[in-house]
Amino acid sequence: GSLTWKNLELANRALHHDGLVVLENAISHEKLDLLNQKMVDDAEVLQAKGDESPYNYNKGNIQQDPPLTKKFFDREIFFNPLATQVTSSIVGPRPRLSFISGNSALPPSPGIEPKAQHTHSDADFQHPSSPFAMVINIPLIDITPENGSTELWLGTHQFGKEAQEGEHGERASGRIKEAWMEERRKVRGPAQPVVRKGSLVVRDLRLWHSGQPNWGEMGEVRVMLAMIHFAGWYRNSMEVNFSEELRGDVERWGRDLVVQGRYVPEKDVEESYLEGKFGNAYDFDQQDRLDIEF
């Protein structure tokens, strides 16, 4: 249930240097399978909404929340102690968990041309130059370049809003300017990795990345969960809707975090969890931002 000191050092140094680290064999496969089947079925429902679907940049990539109900909730997935150990070593003790969602790369289908997202940063606002938010991505299956593995620009978490165009709230906000990408390619170009099922990825929110097309010949939806651990001092105001039946589990398993959640009847969660927004509509900024720059 915990990393050795040397492995924690490796993860910490990787995050400071690259803005990303992968922990393999962190989650039991059978626990992922139940959730994956449910979210694959849900992805078809969201895809059928067409222009009204919560798509990110293009309709081949949709924002998709998991059902936070008793049947599909598991500590290894949503409160993984290895993930919290890593994020706490970067942003400080008891990070704020205020966002649980996911994104799904859809296989080719009539009327949907497979496309890549614009290279972008999720920190599409003026933000601190020090680490303040760590994204935890959990693929529910093996992800590969064929089924939509995310393209990553390692080391770009050092750049800020000056590298971007588009304003927060637009579907394509946070886009990285072409001139900045061309200069970065001279130093270190992007990579599209294979990440094995059972792994968890910890990524600095500021890192440049791009969702890629799912060319999977088997027609398989690629689901990847996304949670964010914000620094305790970072005043993000989002909240997560949990089923009331999960209150005891969240309070017990989430004690190393500040869980910004509200508890509602399970029926309400089941009726509303697929009504989430597209990714750039979420507000990862903080309240009462300091009027100061370093």
Side-chain angles (χ1 to χ4, degrees):
S2 65
L3 296 172
T4 65
W5 289 118
K6 285 187 175 181
N7 278 340
L8 183 60
E9 179 189 348
L10 279 171
N12 193 286
R13 292 173 67 174
L15 279 164
H16 279 288
H17 186 266
D18 294 333
L20 182 139
V21 70
V22 179
L23 307 183
E24 294 187 325
N25 302 313
I27 302 171
S28 306
H29 286 199
E30 60 270 16
K31 294 183 176 181
L32 298 170
D33 291 340
L34 177 67
L35 183 60
N36 183 60
Q37 185 56 62
K38 173 62 174 172
M39 293 190 70
V40 167
D41 292 342
D42 288 344
E44 296 176 358
V45 174
L46 292 174
Q47 183 179 18
K49 293 184 177 183
D51 291 343
E52 300 302 315
S53 69
Y55 64 87
N56 296 321
Y57 296 90
N58 65 74
K59 294 177 184 177
N61 187 292
I62 56 173
Q63 192 76 20
Q64 182 178 357
D65 292 354
L68 296 177
T69 59
K70 193 75 172 179
K71 180 177 180 181
F72 297 104
F73 193 84
D74 191 275
R75 180 192 184 191
E76 271 190 40
I77 298 174
F78 295 101
F79 289 105
N80 190 286
L82 302 180
T84 303
Q85 187 181 7
V86 171
T87 60
S88 298
S89 77
I90 299 291
V91 300
R94 299 201 71 209
R96 297 174 186 258
L97 172 63
S98 61
F99 179 82
I100 298 178
S101 187
N103 71 77
S104 298
L106 305 175
S109 64
I112 296 182
E113 178 186 355
K115 295 180 181 179
Q117 294 178 349
H118 296 287
T119 299
H120 65 281
S121 168
D122 291 335
D124 59 348
F125 47 87
Q126 293 294 343
H127 54 72
S129 57
S130 56
F132 65 92
M134 295 290 127
V135 182
I136 300 166
N137 285 131
I138 297 176
L140 301 188
I141 59 173
D142 287 347
I143 59 174
T144 68
E146 288 70 36
N147 70 5
S149 173
T150 303
E151 182 181 85
L152 303 163
W153 292 68
L154 298 180
T156 55
H157 58 301
Q158 63 187 294
F159 302 119
K161 186 74 167 61
E162 68 277 2
Q164 304 172 20
E165 55 189 359
E167 295 305 313
H168 172 73
E170 299 175 4
R171 279 198 185 270
S173 63
R175 302 185 307 278
I176 306 303
K177 298 173 182 176
E178 287 289 339
W180 282 74
M181 286 192 287
E182 290 308 309
E183 285 301 309
R184 183 61 188 175
R185 285 182 193 276
K186 299 174 184 177
V187 178
R188 191 177 190 184
Q192 195 178 4
V194 171
V195 182
R196 296 300 180 193
K197 180 179 177 181
S199 301
L200 62 84
V201 182
V202 182
R203 167 176 65 85
D204 193 302
L205 184 76
R206 300 169 294 173
L207 193 75
W208 300 357
H209 61 285
S210 168
Q212 296 295 300
N214 180 351
W215 300 103
E217 296 179 359
M218 302 300 292
E220 187 174 40
V221 177
R222 189 279 291 146
V223 181
M224 185 170 67
L225 300 178
M227 291 159 274
I228 303 179
H229 288 187
F230 291 97
W233 51 263
Y234 189 83
R235 299 169 297 282
N236 181 264
S237 61
M238 294 186 298
E239 292 184 316
V240 179
N241 282 342
F242 294 98
S243 165
E244 177 64 46
E245 287 80 355
L246 290 175
R247 183 185 294 268
D249 292 339
V250 171
E251 291 176 352
R252 180 170 64 256
W253 295 335
R255 59 180 177 270
D256 292 328
L257 300 164
V258 175
V259 180
Q260 295 184 183
R262 61 173 77 93
Y263 299 96
V264 298
E266 185 160 297
K267 181 174 180 292
D268 291 352
V269 174
E270 292 173 340
E271 291 178 350
S272 64
Y273 77 95
L274 290 184
E275 298 176 357
K277 301 173 285 190
F278 61 88
N280 288 351
Y282 287 94
D283 191 358
F284 301 149
D285 202 350
Q286 62 175 332
Q287 295 179 314
D288 191 25
R289 189 194 303 166
L290 290 178
D291 185 19
I292 188 171
E293 293 185 18
F294 286 93

